[in-house]
Amino acid sequence: MAFNTQNLKQALLSPFRAMVSRDFYFSVLFGMKGSGFLYLFLLCAALAIPGSIRTASVMHYFKSLDLPRLVVQIPASYLDESGTLSPNDQNEAYKEIKNQSGDLVMVYNTADKPLSGAAADAPIEFNSKDMVFHNIKGGLSLPYVGLFQTGTTFQPVQSAQMLEGVLGAGPLLIWSVIMLSMYFFLIFNAFVTACLARFMMLFIFRIRTSFGATLRLSSYANTLVAFIMLAQFFVFLPMSYTIMALVPLIYIALFSQRFRAELAHDGIENFARRYGGRARVQTQVQTNADESRPRDTSVYSGNMYADEQERLKREAQEQEKAEKTQNSGQDQNKDEEPDNFNDRDDLNSADPDDNQPSPHDAESNANSEQDSADKKDGDQNNKGSGGGFFEA
């Protein structure tokens, strides 16, 4: 594809169109082969920029609080299988931790006491179930389950060293980590959605597509998921993976509904012609005045037209075969009809007493026996007279 202003404009508008336009997915299916994963990579690279800026600002804020040094002062604790944090020494169930300036920064409150005054305004609180950030707009509560492995011991010194390394990360490293984490998550989500979407398109909407085409549709349908992931850097927006997988599936279902509606309204030939001959349609095209040849007008539509033509061809062959069988059966009946009538007449003319000789037959038999006796006598006379069969 040549790089020009029009193509650049279309590329920049693709995320917006992928979220609001069902017609855009016709272009994805018929004209954007091989662009799915590249689109997700570029989208994640762009969205990771504001995400990394937000993350860097939060990390800078925690670094300004001298957070690694404060983490060392957290009592040694244990996170049980239910996700409940408790100190190894129960006398340290409540502890206020201040920085060098004397400002209260952290409250270790695994006893879940009601907080008031300066403790209620502390930036960070550790209660028995959650880690709470009070100074973030709207508040942010992060359960220990999902952040740390349950059934383990919390070691303040090791955690402080790890936190110091994280807070010291540069902008490029932050951007790379965010971009790759978003990209690999969206790739995985696209594969899952493609598997579900292919089953749905085939058995519900009767649209046969290759897995590559379905994966391309799923990649673009994950655009909204990418923006939801970006929003989670700015607001607390918990969302289960089930919803993350269903969002692109809804997009593909709406597109499939439009696909079937337009196909039923326009017909296969007009449908293919409408999208620039890019839907796979096999037809006869006049090449000159004397000859014609079959042409495949395109790149893809699941070979629906060919399947339809094959089905119609089989039905025509079966109908023609049935007609030939019926005609041959009628001709055979006509040929056998006189014999059947003769047989029927013979059967009708048959008499139960046919085995008994009639008077006429008895007379004929008597005459035959008389002739045989006369002939025998004549032969004997001829033989006695020396004649025979050689006399003139």
Side-chain angles (χ1 to χ4, degrees):
M1 181 176 65
F3 179 80
N4 52 44
T5 305
Q6 183 66 22
N7 292 335
L8 179 61
K9 181 180 179 180
Q10 291 180 357
L12 293 176
L13 291 177
S14 292
F16 176 75
R17 295 177 63 194
M19 290 189 293
V20 301
S21 175
R22 284 187 291 181
D23 293 335
F24 173 72
Y25 288 90
F26 285 95
S27 300
V28 173
L29 179 62
F30 296 132
M32 296 185 180
K33 295 185 65 175
S35 64
F37 288 173
L38 177 61
Y39 167 78
L40 285 180
F41 180 82
L42 296 176
L43 179 65
C44 291
L47 296 183
I49 295 175
S52 61
I53 293 174
R54 172 63 175 172
T55 302
S57 65
V58 173
M59 292 173 62
H60 177 73
Y61 169 75
F62 286 133
K63 191 174 182 178
S64 67
L65 295 175
D66 198 12
L67 194 60
R69 189 184 66 83
L70 300 179
V71 169
V72 176
Q73 303 179 42
I74 297 176
S77 309
Y78 179 78
L79 185 64
D80 63 16
E81 297 294 340
S82 64
T84 301
L85 184 68
S86 58
N88 295 340
D89 185 358
Q90 294 300 323
N91 295 325
E92 296 181 325
Y94 181 83
K95 184 178 181 180
E96 294 182 356
I97 303 173
K98 299 179 180 181
N99 60 12
Q100 293 179 346
S101 301
D103 298 326
L104 184 60
V105 177
M106 301 174 63
V107 176
Y108 184 82
N109 184 27
T110 56
D112 293 333
K113 294 181 179 180
L115 301 180
S116 61
D121 296 331
I124 305 174
E125 176 193 353
F126 292 91
N127 58 37
S128 62
K129 293 289 185 181
D130 308 286
M131 182 168 55
V132 183
F133 298 91
H134 290 292
N135 62 337
I136 296 179
K137 184 178 180 181
L140 179 61
S141 179
L142 300 177
Y144 299 125
V145 178
L147 294 177
F148 307 103
Q149 184 179 358
T150 59
T152 57
T153 300
F154 174 75
Q155 299 294 339
V157 177
Q158 295 178 358
S159 300
Q161 293 174 349
M162 184 182 301
L163 182 60
E164 186 174 7
V166 171
L167 295 179
L172 181 60
L173 179 60
I174 297 173
W175 174 84
S176 300
V177 171
I178 293 176
M179 187 270 294
L180 291 177
S181 62
M182 292 179 64
Y183 179 65
F184 286 118
F185 175 83
L186 292 177
I187 288 292
F188 175 77
N189 201 44
F191 269 106
V192 173
T193 306
C195 294
L196 298 175
R198 192 160 186 240
F199 179 85
M200 176 186 67
M201 294 174 71
L202 181 61
F203 293 98
I204 298 179
F205 295 99
R206 301 299 181 185
I207 300 175
R208 181 178 299 175
T209 61
S210 67
F211 184 77
T214 310
L215 187 59
R216 184 165 67 252
L217 290 172
S218 178
S219 298
Y220 281 87
N222 270 277
T223 302
L224 182 58
V225 178
F227 278 93
I228 292 174
M229 295 178 67
L230 175 63
Q232 291 177 335
F233 286 93
F234 298 90
V235 295
F236 181 58
L237 190 63
M239 185 172 293
S240 66
Y241 176 73
T242 302
I243 298 178
M244 293 287 197
L246 286 178
V247 167
L249 198 63
I250 293 173
Y251 272 90
I252 296 178
L254 293 175
F255 162 70
S256 300
Q257 184 181 19
R258 172 67 67 84
F259 188 103
R260 293 300 304 177
E262 292 194 7
L263 186 63
H265 180 268
D266 297 339
I268 297 177
E269 294 284 355
N270 293 331
F271 180 86
R273 197 174 295 113
R274 178 178 179 181
Y275 292 101
R278 290 174 295 181
R280 181 174 295 170
V281 175
Q282 296 177 353
T283 182
Q284 294 291 330
V285 180
Q286 193 73 20
T287 56
N288 52 46
D290 300 326
E291 63 179 1
S292 62
R293 62 180 178 85
R295 181 185 68 174
D296 187 351
T297 60
S298 79
V299 288
Y300 197 68
S301 83
N303 206 21
M304 287 190 305
Y305 182 86
D307 291 344
E308 181 70 12
Q309 294 300 310
E310 183 66 23
R311 184 183 65 81
L312 295 175
K313 182 179 179 181
R314 288 198 305 268
E315 290 181 356
Q317 291 176 349
E318 291 175 358
Q319 184 177 2
E320 182 179 359
K321 183 177 179 181
E323 291 178 354
K324 288 182 178 180
T325 304
Q326 184 178 2
N327 293 335
S328 62
Q330 292 178 355
D331 294 340
Q332 184 177 1
N333 291 336
K334 291 180 180 180
D335 294 338
E336 295 177 353
E337 187 174 357
D339 296 336
N340 292 337
F341 285 143
N342 292 336
D343 294 341
R344 193 177 297 111
D345 292 341
D346 293 341
L347 291 174
N348 292 334
S349 61
D351 196 323
D353 297 332
D354 284 345
N355 293 330
Q356 299 179 3
S358 63
H360 181 272
D361 293 338
E363 184 178 356
S364 299
N365 291 336
N367 293 334
S368 297
E369 291 176 356
Q370 183 64 35
D371 293 339
S372 299
D374 293 341
K375 184 176 181 181
K376 185 177 181 180
D377 292 340
D379 292 340
Q380 291 177 354
N381 294 333
N382 291 333
K383 184 176 181 182
S385 61
F389 291 108
F390 298 102
E391 286 187 353

